[in-house]
Amino acid sequence: MDLVAEQLESIQQNQTAGLSVALQFPDSCLTDATKVYMGLKKKLTNMTFYVLGDTSYSECCVDDVNASHADANDVIVKFGRSCFSSSSVSK
């Protein structure tokens, strides 16, 4: 979680407003979502976090569609395995 926080802080340095961050978890890791959300929210108080589960595609795909519905598509942090498929342009 510290590495994720460091990366988000680095991205934030180039922004004028707080980031809107989607935390995407596969179904098998949703039990960890609250702990990760609370830890990041405590460290990065100027950012808004959303937890994504139940992806529109396979759980290995980055779900930028659901992130855009939550208005959380500044950054998507994907937990779990990834197939590296190209994402749609939802922003």
Side-chain angles (χ1 to χ4, degrees):
M1 188 167 31
D2 289 335
L3 181 59
V4 172
E6 288 175 23
Q7 293 298 315
L8 290 172
E9 285 175 327
S10 176
I11 294 167
Q12 177 65 53
Q13 290 176 359
N14 300 321
Q15 303 292 321
T16 56
L19 290 177
S20 180
V21 181
L23 304 172
Q24 181 183 341
F25 293 86
D27 294 342
S28 60
C29 296
L30 278 174
T31 54
D32 300 321
T34 303
K35 181 179 179 180
V36 172
Y37 169 86
M38 297 300 287
L40 290 173
K41 187 66 181 162
K42 185 176 182 180
K43 286 183 178 196
L44 306 168
T45 58
N46 60 335
M47 298 182 194
T48 304
F49 293 94
Y50 299 89
V51 174
L52 302 180
D54 193 24
T55 62
S56 299
Y57 314 107
S58 175
E59 68 178 25
C60 66
C61 299
V62 173
D63 196 355
D64 62 332
V65 173
N66 274 341
S68 68
H69 291 168
D71 199 25
N73 48 358
D74 289 333
V75 178
I76 301 172
V77 179
K78 167 89 174 71
F79 294 87
R81 133 184 125 75
S82 179
C83 61
F84 299 110
S85 63
S86 60
S87 60
S88 69
V89 179
S90 60
K91 195 170 186 185

